[in-house]
Amino acid sequence: MIAPPTLRQWLAAEPFALAMSSGFFSFFAHCGVLTVLEDEGLLPVRVAGSSAGGLVAGAWAAGADAAILQRALLGLRRQDFWDPAPGPGLLRGALFRRRLEALLPARSFADCRVPAAVSAFDLLNRRTRVLERGALAPAICASCAVPLMFRPVWIGGRPLWDGGVADRPGLAGMPMEQRVFYHHIASRSPWRSRRGAAMQIPARPRMTTLSIQGLPRVNPFALSRGALAFARARCAMQRALDAPLRGAVLSVEA
């Protein structure tokens, strides 16, 4: 009987793309996973994501290596992005945009080291819009514009909100024929139905999913948990690499 491949063997066997889901402040966990991929030399040939996943995937594609992202995230303070003002969202988003622009080595999708796509939600036609051309920073800001927390971001005359509204996995910008490694953040939002599609791990051909259970919840008032979420996700990914793949989903404890 042939033993199933490990995740490490699956990743190394052929070129793969990396997709990262939304999940509020889950960019700490996404970054933990990404640092392991970099350490092992298992680098994606394409990236896509929504919200927190779009931020980490897009920043990496722009040339911000995982170690740079780690330092930026673990040094994050609420006052670095907290700019409340009257309007259709608690925060203006100007501080977040400024900080993001300072982080990104590439200014446009065309300048990225690998093809990248981030998902946003178009408020006018109420559907996902995949952003993969033009300026990178506003696209990531739009993908991360959590409803009511941030104002919509206008791109091309359209108001855009968080990509996780309708594309929580962040897979809308990923071609169906692509071989994909997908990092799934389990939602614990009280606003989502436990039986809803957004709560489920998506299935598609040629995709292997990593789902890390029990990660600490991080939010603007509990940023100190970010370092723990990063560390646990990193350790879980290190263990996952040598775990056998007995199906399309590999679930590990944080």
Side-chain angles (χ1 to χ4, degrees):
M1 184 176 179
I2 300 175
T6 63
L7 177 59
R8 185 194 306 274
Q9 291 170 332
W10 186 90
L11 291 168
E14 298 177 53
F16 70 93
L18 175 66
M20 292 181 158
S21 75
S22 68
F24 204 34
F25 275 58
S26 60
F27 36 71
F28 293 98
H30 285 315
C31 187
V33 168
L34 186 57
T35 59
V36 177
L37 291 176
E38 273 200 349
D39 289 348
E40 298 291 334
L42 299 167
L43 303 180
V45 297
R46 182 183 181 92
V47 297
S50 274
S51 197
L55 188 157
V56 172
W60 183 86
D65 289 340
I68 295 173
L69 285 170
Q70 177 185 352
R71 287 194 297 272
L73 292 176
L74 297 188
L76 188 65
R77 303 167 302 170
R78 186 158 57 92
Q79 56 264 40
D80 293 332
F81 61 89
W82 202 258
D83 56 357
L90 174 63
L91 305 180
R92 292 176 58 230
L95 286 181
F96 175 49
R97 170 77 172 267
R98 195 178 310 151
R99 192 171 184 86
L100 184 61
E101 288 176 338
L103 174 67
L104 300 178
R107 297 302 181 199
S108 70
F109 283 94
D111 295 330
C112 288
R113 56 179 158 185
V114 298
V118 298
S119 295
F121 181 74
D122 190 313
L123 281 166
L124 298 183
N125 63 19
R126 301 183 63 79
R127 66 179 62 174
T128 295
R129 177 177 170 185
V130 175
L131 303 171
E132 53 188 342
R133 295 179 180 84
L136 186 59
I140 294 176
C141 286
S143 187
C144 293
V146 177
L148 303 183
M149 180 176 171
F150 284 106
R151 297 176 180 181
V153 175
W154 288 76
I155 296 179
R158 312 285 293 189
L160 305 178
W161 249 346
D162 191 290
V165 172
D167 180 29
R168 192 170 183 281
L171 286 164
M174 194 66 75
M176 284 301 298
E177 69 274 10
Q178 188 78 56
R179 187 171 181 263
V180 178
F181 174 55
Y182 167 55
H183 183 214
H184 175 80
I185 299 293
S187 174
R188 288 179 281 182
S189 169
W191 308 109
R192 294 186 186 272
S193 167
R194 292 295 163 187
R195 297 183 179 180
M199 303 293 282
Q200 310 306 314
I201 295 176
R204 58 182 268 164
R206 291 166 54 83
M207 185 169 83
T208 291
T209 296
L210 172 66
S211 179
I212 303 173
Q213 307 298 312
L215 288 168
R217 299 185 69 177
V218 187
N219 63 60
F221 299 93
L223 288 173
S224 60
R225 298 176 191 162
L228 183 58
F230 169 87
R232 288 189 177 178
R234 177 175 166 80
C235 289
M237 179 61 184
Q238 289 171 327
R239 287 186 278 108
L241 281 176
D242 295 314
L245 295 177
R246 305 186 186 280
V249 178
L250 177 59
S251 182
V252 297
E253 289 295 325

